[in-house]
Amino acid sequence: MKMLDYVQLAHVRMGENLERSSELVAQLVDIFQSGSFDALRIVASGSSRHAADCARDYLQDALQMQVSVVTPEAFVDFEHTYPQHVLNIAVSQSGYSTNTIAALDYMRAHDMAAVALTANVEAPIKEHADIVLDYGVGVESVDFVTLGVEVLVEYLVLFGIYGGQARGTIDAKGVAQRLDDLREAIHANAVMCKTAEAYVQDHMLELSEHTPAMVVGNGPNYGVAEEAALKLSETIKIPAMHHEGEEFVHGPEMQIVPGYL
């Protein structure tokens, strides 16, 4: 399969996962509910971190608690003390990420529950976590994480919905409404694929020029901007930077010239 095949498969996989949503996140919800946690910290890097950044605001709203997203290195060196009574979730789609494994080792060495999310529960990560959970993406056989980004966002949103229900911040009516909203978002994703293909064809010349690119996004779309900049760097090998909206107008926009993307 090619990368574009996984892009087009995303709404199908997300739809399948939505149909088994309660079962998919049940184990993580049980862990969350049994631990009387006051905060949530997601430890991830690369595309997994970007997906977590997309879902962070939603999780905070659904769970009504502080939710932070940190890299494994930042977690080990600095971001492990506060907040206290926090549930740490380490994410590695491949299950081979050595920095995420190091973060899990730190958790276990310091008597923290070491929960891992992955697409490959048989990968080396299983030897370093107390609990390994499959977030439902399946196997991706291209070099660049594609399907895994959107499916991880969906998984975290579903955890927010059912975790919020368990925590008492979302009632049954709210759960049903949020699941309907997610169903609409999955449909919109399918429409987006067709729209994006047309957009790329219309702008093929600009997108084909190897000029620096800047991607801007706010809130949940900051994670999208991070991922877009990464994919531009990985796939077509151009310098690409991500910025939050206000930070972009605070300086970086001043370097924009007509040749920039």
Side-chain angles (χ1 to χ4, degrees), residues 83-153:
Q84 296 178 340
H85 308 298
V86 60
L87 173 61
N88 294 304
I89 302 173
V91 188
S92 167
Q93 180 174 334
S94 69
Y96 284 84
S97 305
T98 54
N99 54 349
T100 305
I101 287 173
L104 286 163
D105 288 341
Y106 185 94
M107 293 174 199
R108 296 177 88 175
H110 293 80
D111 296 321
M112 303 176 185
V115 179
L117 286 184
T118 183
N120 185 359
V121 295
E122 296 304 319
I125 200 169
K126 74 175 184 178
E127 305 297 334
H128 301 265
D130 298 324
I131 301 160
V132 181
L133 303 176
D134 185 342
Y135 69 86
V137 63
V139 177
E140 235 185 310
S141 57
V142 292
D143 291 335
F144 311 114
V145 174
T146 304
L147 181 62
V149 178
E150 292 161 284
V151 175
L152 178 56
V153 173

Side-chain angles (χ1 to χ4, degrees), residues 11 14 181-193:
H11 72 274
M14 288 190 290
D181 291 343
L182 188 52
R183 190 168 289 107
E184 289 186 18
I186 292 169
H187 173 72
N189 181 271
V191 175
M192 175 278 298
C193 285

